[in-house]
Structure formats: structure tokens, C-alpha cells
Amino acid sequence: MDNISIITMLTLSGLNGTANYRVPLFAVTLLCYCVILLVNVTVIATIIGDKSLHEPMYIFLCNLCINGLYGTAGFYPKFLSDLLSPAQIISHAGCLLQGFVLHSSAAADFSLLALMAYDRYVAICRPLVYHSVMTKQRISLLVFFVWFVPFFLTFMSTITSTSRLCGSNIPKIYCVNWFINNLACSVSITANVIPGFIFTFYFGHAVFVMWTYVYMIKICIKSKENLSRFMQTCLPHVFCVLIVAVSLLFDVIYMRLASRDLSQNVQNIMAMEFLLIPPIINPIIYGYKLTKIKKRILHFLCGKCF
């Protein structure tokens, strides 16, 4: 029998050419990660600790922030370690795990944003039946599926990336299934069908969110009260949807259309978009625009200062 070498360790080559400024990059990255932890934990603790915030919109926001922590935990600790290491390597199993965390977090983001859009649609367009529609039991069920479906679909996609590898270099600063599949000695039809289905499924989420807000705008412009309510509770959500969509779009463009003409630094920035901007901006936007959360945070800070 011929000897067949089994590749178990992979190289992340996204940091090539950064040796001269890895320490400053480490400091900036660590600061960004600390800010992500601070703003998300602040919103989560505020919502959990204040019973008046135990309403559907705030419960979904709390889950969005938890997902932000979950997704960034799959990237920043490893990335910070790589910045201080002479070689950026990761096991095949570790690469699959990182890819699973990042993919499932991105998918859960879209599911949560779609759920939040539905919540605002019912609250503004069907206010008389809001409390009968958004019951505690239904909220619990929706939150369960918002987490379960992305995890299940990503797990199915990850399984297709466990084929024997004929290469070990991933030209990125973190692992994703698409690059792992490119290293496989042979790619099955399933490895293309499942990601295609997932992309179509979440593109449907994006279409639903867009339709929901276009419809709500048409309804709200007819009433000053509804328009004011839309600006207060929906505008932050619109910004968050745009931020997540644009950030993921940059990452997809980077993966699918990455050109050697682009410098490695530009490619790394494009790769980090959705792991840096949404986890920081989302809780800040909601914390600033949603009056209840802002008042609760200011009350806590003032209580600590005086």
C-alpha cells in the first residue's frame, strides 16, 4: 500500500508581511476586542438586570449581542495569539471549529435581524394584536429556532468540509469552509449544494427584512405617531441591517473575487469587517437610540459615580 500523508495542521497565511508591526497591531486588536466585550456585555447586563426591558424587542437585542460575543470569541483569541507567534498554524479540527463558529454566528445575525424586523412589523402595523402574537411561549420558540437553524445548517455544511486534504495553506487570517473545501483532494456535490442552499436561505432573510421595512415606511408616513415610533425603534435596526449586510458583502467579495492586485493589508481589512464593525456598532447604536436602554445605562453610571 502506498504511503499517504495525512495533513492535520494548516497554515493561515493572511499575516504574511506584517512582521514589522505585529505588536502595534496586537495592541489595537486587543483594544477593539475589549471594546466589543464592554459594549455588548453592558447591553446584555442592562437588559437582563432590568425587568422593564424584558420585552420582545429587547430580548432579541440581547440575543444579538450574545451572538456578537459568540462570533468574535471564535476569532479574536486565536488572532491575538497568531500576532505574537512566529508561525500561524491551526489543526484541521480547530480550523473546522473556527469555521463553524464564524459561519453560524453570521447566519444567526441574519436570523435575529429578520426576527427583529418581524417584531417591529407586528408592533407598528398590527399594534392591536401585538401582545397576542408575541406571547412568551412564541418568543421562546422563535429564539430557539433563531439559534437552532443556523447551528444545524452550519453543522451540515461543516460535515462536508471533513474530506482528506491535499493542501495546507489558507490565504486568510481565519478559517472558513470555502477555503477548507478548496484544499480537499476531492469535493463532493454535497459540498456545493449545502452552501448554495444556505446562501439562498439567508438571502431570503435579507429580502424579507428589506420588504418589511419598505412596507413599514409606507405605513408610517401616513401617521406622525407611527413615523416617530419608527424613527425611535426601527431606525437603529435599519442601520444594523445595513452594517451587517455590507460587512458580510465585503467578506464574500474578498473570498470569491480576491485579487492578487490587492495588498494583503486591504484583504485583511475586508476579512475583518463583519468581525469588527457590527459587534461594536450594533450595541452602541441601540444603546444610544433606544431611550429605555440609554436611561438605564446612564442611571447605573451616575449611581456609580456619585
Side-chain angles (χ1 to χ4, degrees), residues 116-162:
M116 294 169 78
Y118 173 72
D119 172 71
R120 291 299 85 203
Y121 162 76
V122 177
I124 292 176
C125 300
R126 304 179 62 193
L128 297 179
V129 298
Y130 179 77
H131 291 291
S132 62
V133 172
M134 303 302 288
T135 62
K136 289 183 179 181
Q137 293 78 8
R138 187 163 295 173
I139 291 170
S140 300
L141 191 64
L142 289 171
V143 170
F144 169 77
F145 278 108
V146 156
W147 287 102
F148 174 77
V149 173
F151 272 62
F152 176 75
L153 292 177
T154 306
F155 177 74
M156 296 301 295
S157 177
T158 303
I159 288 177
T160 65
S161 303
T162 57

Side-chain angles (χ1 to χ4, degrees), residues 214-224 226-227 230:
V214 169
Y215 184 81
M216 279 195 288
I217 290 173
K218 289 182 178 179
I219 296 296
C220 290
I221 58 177
K222 299 176 182 178
S223 168
K224 288 186 178 180
N226 283 341
L227 184 60
F230 177 88

Side-chain angles (χ1 to χ4, degrees), residues 278-295:
I280 292 178
I281 299 299
N282 287 355
I284 290 177
I285 288 177
Y286 276 106
Y288 175 75
K289 288 296 294 181
L290 297 182
T291 306
K292 282 188 176 182
I293 292 181
K294 182 167 66 175
K295 286 183 177 179

Side-chain angles (χ1 to χ4, degrees), residues 39-40 43 47 53 57-58 60-62 64-65 109 112-117 119-120 213 232-244 278 280-295 297:
V39 295
N40 282 279
V43 172
I47 293 173
L53 297 177
M57 179 174 64
Y58 300 108
F60 301 148
L61 172 59
C62 182
L64 186 67
C65 292
D109 252 348
L112 284 162
L113 291 172
L115 181 57
M116 294 169 78
D119 172 71
R120 291 299 85 203
Y213 281 104
Q232 177 66 33
T233 63
C234 297
L235 197 59
H237 186 59
V238 173
F239 279 120
C240 290
V241 171
L242 291 175
I243 289 167
V244 171
I280 292 178
I281 299 299
N282 287 355
I284 290 177
I285 288 177
Y286 276 106
Y288 175 75
K289 288 296 294 181
L290 297 182
T291 306
K292 282 188 176 182
I293 292 181
K294 182 167 66 175
K295 286 183 177 179
I297 293 174

Side-chain angles (χ1 to χ4, degrees), residues 158-223:
T158 303
I159 288 177
T160 65
S161 303
T162 57
S163 305
R164 189 168 67 87
L165 303 179
C166 287
S168 62
N169 180 59
I170 294 179
K172 201 168 185 177
I173 54 179
Y174 54 79
C175 296
V176 290
N177 292 344
W178 192 74
F179 281 115
I180 300 174
N181 285 333
N182 286 346
L183 298 176
C185 298
S186 60
V187 180
S188 64
I189 297 177
T190 309
N192 293 318
V193 171
I194 293 180
F197 170 78
I198 294 174
F199 177 82
T200 304
F201 182 70
Y202 284 102
F203 180 76
H205 281 56
V207 172
F208 170 76
V209 171
M210 291 173 60
W211 174 86
T212 301
Y213 281 104
V214 169
Y215 184 81
M216 279 195 288
I217 290 173
K218 289 182 178 179
I219 296 296
C220 290
I221 58 177
K222 299 176 182 178
S223 168

Side-chain angles (χ1 to χ4, degrees), residues 30-47:
L30 180 61
L31 176 62
C32 290
Y33 189 40
C34 289
V35 172
I36 289 171
L37 294 174
L38 176 64
V39 295
N40 282 279
V41 169
T42 298
V43 172
I44 292 168
T46 300
I47 293 173

